[in-house]
Amino acid sequence: MNSKLLTEVIEFWKTKYDWRQRETFLNQFPQYKTNIQGLDIHFIHVKPSNANGLKVIPLLLIHGWPGSVREFYEMIPLLTQPCGFKDFVFEIVAPSLPGFGFSSAACKPGLNPIKMALVFKNLMNRIGFKEFYVQGGDWGSLITSIMATTFPDEVLGAHINLAFVWDHPLAKIKNMLKSFLPMIFATAEDQRKMAQAITFFTRENGYSKIQSTKPDTVGVGLNDSPVGLAAYIIEKFTTWTNSNWINRADGGLLEKYDYTKLLDNVMLYWVTNSITTSCRIYYENNTKEATRFGVDKIPVTVPVGVTNFEYELFAQSKDILSCKYRNILHYRDVPNVGHFAAFEKPD
């Protein structure tokens, strides 16, 4: 985190960020809590205000780390308002992941993404939806994939940004051929995506190693210092929005966001004291319990859409993803957008 940029952000936080006004902003959508499997799950639930006889489609939006439901605030009105050329409109459910924001954290080990997928399926059922669509990015993409894998009779379709398949045997073979014989097996776009992935895992992945092994240790410092927390979170919105901004003194932040929006997201971690519990998803996903089910090896038959944003952390080609996702109806590359796509460019 550039120290000059951090100084500007903290000065803005101290002198111009109006938390009372932001509370009003954050409360603009109906929000609820319900207890599922011993966890208090916080969620936003927005029904279309003017369906006018259109078909109403339930859509579950799942965020990731270090994001929050704040990422969806500009997008929700676009999804719940009728469009002249569509015969449907969405009804949105956007939960906070367990251990994130206003959703309670587990009191014992074992709450991995597979169990979170079950929590969210049960949430949708409790609200009254027996069938629904799911969209996810970051950890939300993994949870979305798990839901589409394990609940095909309830998930009507899934859309994913940051789609990946790691542990499928055929995908491994294809990845190996593309890596070692790129001129034969990889297109120019494949090669660009592989280079992007290598850059991410060598330059940007340190936080993941820490959180996958020692989440409670790093959490002590982050829970103790609001400046440290802001630096740790907001830094991700520079390089993950555009990897070319790593050496810019201003991080490029104001090209895509403003400090108020970014601090809204930081505050949802700070006021709920949830940064440590949010980091634990990395640890839980690497346990034997989380990996023994072999979810990557189980095919997904429900319709799937995939969007690869140009500055996403990494991306895989359609032929690799199709090893798992057997019914990819939509696969698209979008330029000049990064990891936090819903937050950065909601339209």
Side-chain angles (χ1 to χ4, degrees):
M1 183 67 172
N2 181 278
S3 57
K4 181 177 182 294
L5 172 60
L6 181 60
T7 299
E8 290 182 5
V9 171
I10 298 307
E11 183 63 23
F12 182 94
W13 200 1
K14 289 163 59 178
T15 61
K16 296 180 181 179
Y17 183 80
D18 184 346
W19 177 234
R20 296 305 172 206
Q21 188 273 333
R22 302 316 294 167
E23 284 181 319
T24 300
F25 174 86
L26 292 169
N27 283 324
Q28 68 181 281
F29 300 127
Q31 297 177 65
Y32 308 89
K33 274 188 177 182
T34 188
N35 192 275
I36 298 177
Q37 295 158 237
L39 298 167
D40 287 331
I41 301 299
H42 161 262
F43 63 99
I44 293 170
H45 185 188
V46 183
K47 299 180 180 181
S49 57
N50 188 18
N52 285 333
L54 298 175
K55 183 179 180 181
V56 177
I57 297 177
L59 175 62
L60 178 67
L61 298 178
I62 310 178
H63 69 84
W65 187 95
S68 65
V69 292
R70 175 62 184 89
E71 295 176 71
F72 303 133
Y73 267 67
E74 284 75 23
M75 193 167 71
I76 287 173
L78 303 178
L79 294 170
T80 54
Q81 292 297 320
C83 293
F85 60 92
K86 295 178 181 177
D87 61 357
F88 64 90
V89 67
F90 288 110
E91 181 171 340
I92 298 298
V93 177
S96 297
L97 269 63
F100 288 67
F102 297 105
S103 286
S104 64
C107 60
K108 60 182 181 181
L111 185 59
N112 56 53
I114 296 172
K115 293 181 179 178
M116 290 186 185
L118 177 60
V119 168
F120 289 155
K121 190 273 291 188
N122 289 340
L123 171 65
M124 294 300 279
N125 292 165
R126 179 169 297 178
I127 293 171
F129 300 124
K130 299 304 180 184
E131 295 180 322
F132 50 89
Y133 290 83
V134 189
Q135 144 65 29
D138 195 87
W139 283 109
S141 71
L142 178 58
I143 296 170
T144 294
S145 176
I146 293 168
M147 294 182 74
T149 303
T150 53
F151 309 118
D153 294 332
E154 294 174 81
V155 174
L156 294 170
H159 182 271
I160 301 170
N161 48 296
L162 188 61
F164 53 87
V165 179
W166 293 135
D167 199 31
H168 191 284
L170 183 56
K172 286 182 177 179
I173 293 171
K174 287 185 175 183
N175 272 322
M176 189 179 302
L177 291 172
K178 288 175 184 285
S179 298
F180 289 101
L181 296 169
M183 300 307 295
I184 300 175
F185 293 100
T187 65
E189 182 61 16
D190 287 342
Q191 293 178 52
R192 184 193 71 79
K193 290 173 180 176
M194 286 190 291
Q196 195 164 304
I198 291 169
T199 299
F200 168 71
F201 283 108
T202 55
R203 192 182 73 183
E204 297 289 329
N205 201 35
Y207 78 98
S208 180
K209 296 296 185 185
I210 295 171
Q211 292 168 199
S212 297
T213 55
K214 307 289 183 182
D216 287 22
T217 302
V218 69
V220 173
L222 297 176
N223 271 332
D224 195 55
S225 168
V227 175
L229 181 69
Y232 198 69
I233 290 177
I234 293 176
E235 175 254 308
K236 302 305 179 197
F237 285 84
T238 61
T239 52
W240 291 9
T241 299
N242 188 326
S243 57
N244 297 321
W245 293 349
I246 189 169
N247 293 318
R248 284 181 54 165
D250 63 358
L253 284 178
L254 297 182
E255 289 192 19
K256 299 286 188 173
Y257 314 100
D258 59 52
Y259 292 157
T260 296
K261 290 179 181 180
L262 294 169
L263 289 167
D264 285 346
N265 182 61
V266 173
M267 285 292 279
L268 288 180
Y269 284 87
W270 180 253
V271 300
T272 60
N273 198 35
S274 62
I275 186 63
T276 304
T277 54
S278 75
C279 290
R280 287 182 189 149
I281 190 172
Y282 289 82
Y283 179 87
E284 296 293 357
N285 191 53
N286 282 329
T287 62
K288 289 183 179 179
E289 182 183 6
T291 57
R292 69 186 174 91
F293 294 103
V295 175
D296 256 5
K297 300 172 185 176
I298 303 171
V300 171
T301 57
V302 304
V304 170
V306 176
T307 302
N308 294 315
F309 296 101
E310 181 178 3
Y311 298 113
E312 183 56 275
L313 306 182
F314 54 87
Q316 289 182 324
S317 59
K318 185 177 180 180
D319 67 304
I320 290 177
L321 294 175
S322 62
C323 296
K324 175 177 175 62
Y325 303 106
R326 303 295 174 80
N327 190 13
I328 299 177
L329 299 185
H330 166 93
Y331 183 94
R332 184 171 64 144
D333 292 302
V334 175
N336 198 32
V337 183
H339 179 70
F340 303 98
F343 200 25
E344 175 189 344
K345 197 172 179 62
D347 57 327

